[in-house]
Amino acid sequence: MANPLYDRLFGCHAGSAAPFLILPDGSELNYDAFLTKAAKIAGYLSELGIRPGDRLAAQITKSPEALALYAACVQAGIVFLPLNTAYTASEVTYFIENSGAALIVCDSNAMGDLVPVAATLNAQLATLDADGSGSLTDGAAGQGDSFATADRSIDDLAALLYTSGTTGRSKGAMLSQENLLSNAEVLVQEWRFTSQDILLHALPIFHTHGLFVATNVALATGSAMIFLPKFDVDEVLAHLPRATTMMGVPTFYTRLLDDLRFDGAASRHMRLFTSGSAPLLAETHDKFRERTGHAILERYGMTETNMNTSNPYDGDRRAGTVGFPLPGVELKICDPSTGVELPQGEVGQIEVRGPNVFLGYWQMPEKTAEEMRSDGFFITGDLGLIDERGYVQIVGRGKDLIISGGYNIYPKEIELVLDEQPGVLESAVIGVPHPDFGETVIGILVAERGRTPDEAAIMKAVAKGLARFKHPRKLIVVEELPRNTMGKVQKNILRQQFGDLFAVGKAL
Ligand code: MLC
Ligand code: AMP
């Protein structure tokens, strides 16, 4: 029996007393205890009738048990579908319906909303709360300490991660065991991880960055993680002395720099800081190096592709670049309209191919075909160039996407809600620079003739349907939207017009 992902990341640690999770109160969970927790959960999932290949949707708070649920799914061959805890019930309903999840694991607070959804969609429901209690844990308690690992091949589906789309409809990116494993192996080598490392983990575990980049790299090397529930500057500063490495989104680094307690002394012992999921401003990179002596290692990835490029561990980590394609990853810059590869130095669409690139979108062959070329290159939607030294620079996005604090937000999804509101004729949602989140969302509205949109009512409607991080931080009513001759809204003009709304020192 084989299960490459389980065997390589988890099974190899059986019997190990080495620490895996170091919790905020200083207590530790060793590898063996973690694996036992996972095996018990796998036993319970099996008792519930969840079979290899079934999808399990989890909207749960970060905890050792939540991570053990991921391990249990890998061991039982169940496709893990983690969901942002900020999603509203209506957002979650779509994911469950679209994926056909057999089991939903949620916080007991969400039961009221999800019981009817589960009943309608014929899914089972279990609970897991932030403190690790719940019906999942109760069911797992009665199970044996070991579980017969399900037989899986390297091409089998391991996870389904939803990413929003430019049409407003989310797509489930199908990630195989090989996608996850190949990327973890490469990152371990490139970033020189060893079992001596202690990774400060303050990222959420429902996205690629916190789950597959951070956690899988730690698992692949048998290193420990200081497992914090979220990014909180005080907590991070308190735990940093014990860490050797940290992975973060740019907001982590700007928040640390805003705190004068974070200085050379607080970070001298660290081996590596990495950044990704959103652009790290060259200014932040430079300020960080000045303050701490460390050059943050910036890398570039996506839900669909895991990690594509990385600045070098040894050598020049260049601000404003995302480094070189990772070993095994091919990257080219192409003309967006023809797909023809462009000469070095020219700006075009970034396309990537390799064992890291996903299998396609769940039950959306037409969407997959739009973004995946027949020769296996994936069209990322990011615009970039390869400079004279071979470093990749991301210069913009071909896709209409906002990245706020590392979370992706597709304007279309918000525009659809705004357009429906009484008194609103039409809307355009744009991202503008924000000192904390990098970019933030604003909504530009055109009122129906003779009417004044009720902003409070609009924000209430937005809150009902959409996760908090997607909410416009400001609504602005204009006479009309700028359009080109084809009638397309010129968002670049709006971004110029409202781009300094959140500039430092500007009163709102
Ligand atoms: C929280 N809020 C956000 C937000 N996060 N709003 C916009 N953008 C965000 N990212 C909301 C909160 O609900 C709150 O609402 C208000 O904004 C301020 O909250 P906060 O306390 O300041 O936020 P905090 O909880 O500290 O979270 C900020 C953060 C977090 C940056 C630490 O968002 C985070 O951990 N981001 C990481 C995202 C990530 O892992 N992305 C990886 C994607 S994978 P209110 O009601 O209080 O105003 C990927 C591939 C790759 O992209 O390459 O890695
Ligand atoms: P997601 O869909 O959440 O996986 O987000 C992927 C997107 O994040 C990419 O397509 C990029 O636009 C962006 N991204 C990730 N890493 C970086 C980076 N280092 N610099 C700029 N953008 C990045």
Side-chain angles (χ1 to χ4, degrees), residues 5 25 34 40 47 66 90 96 103 135 167 187 190 197 202 217 222 230 241 288 313 362 428-429 433 450 464 473:
L5 190 63
D25 64 2
F34 177 78
K40 282 173 168 291
E47 187 179 296
S90 68
I96 294 163
L103 177 69
S135 71
T167 57
L187 296 177
E190 291 297 294
D197 272 310
V217 162
K230 59 172 289 210
F288 199 90
Y313 188 84
W362 175 258
V429 166
K464 189 158 181 285
R473 292 304 198 250

Side-chain angles (χ1 to χ4, degrees), residues 77 81 90 102 121 166 220 236 284 286 317 340 386 421-422 463 477 493 496:
L81 193 176
S90 68
L121 298 175
T166 41
V236 168
T284 310
D286 294 343
R317 298 178 196 162
V340 173
I386 301 176
Q421 303 311 310
V477 180
I493 294 182
Q496 273 166 18

Side-chain angles (χ1 to χ4, degrees), residues 147-222:
F147 179 82
T149 303
D151 210 10
R152 300 302 271 170
S153 95
I154 196 89
D155 298 321
D156 278 328
L157 201 52
L160 199 55
L161 259 62
Y162 277 80
T163 74
S164 302
T166 41
T167 57
R169 235 183 120 205
S170 288
K171 304 164 288 185
M174 297 191 286
L175 295 154
S176 70
Q177 288 215 347
E178 187 185 20
N179 295 152
L180 305 184
L181 205 45
S182 63
N183 221 230
E185 301 280 17
V186 162
L187 296 177
V188 164
Q189 295 303 321
E190 291 297 294
W191 297 344
R192 311 278 197 275
F193 267 77
T194 73
S195 59
Q196 299 309 302
D197 272 310
I198 301 180
L199 170 69
L200 194 147
H201 192 304
L203 289 157
I205 54 168
F206 42 70
H207 279 312
T208 297
H209 198 162
L211 191 60
F212 301 141
V213 182
T215 305
N216 284 357
V217 162
L219 286 163
T221 44

Side-chain angles (χ1 to χ4, degrees), residues 54-67:
D54 285 349
R55 277 77 58 212
L56 182 154
Q59 191 189 33
I60 45 180
T61 304
K62 185 177 176 183
S63 69
E65 289 72 21
L67 200 61

Side-chain angles (χ1 to χ4, degrees), residues 36-45 134-144:
T36 304
K37 227 183 230 300
K40 282 173 168 291
I41 297 175
Y44 183 51
L45 297 177
S135 71
L136 186 82
T137 316
D138 294 345
Q143 305 294 319

Side-chain angles (χ1 to χ4, degrees), residues 277-279 298-303 322 382 394 399 403 408:
S277 308
E298 185 172 8
R299 78 344 172 248
Y300 157 60
M302 285 183 81
T303 302
V322 292
D382 292 310
I394 299 176
K399 50 196 173 189
I403 305 183
N408 284 9

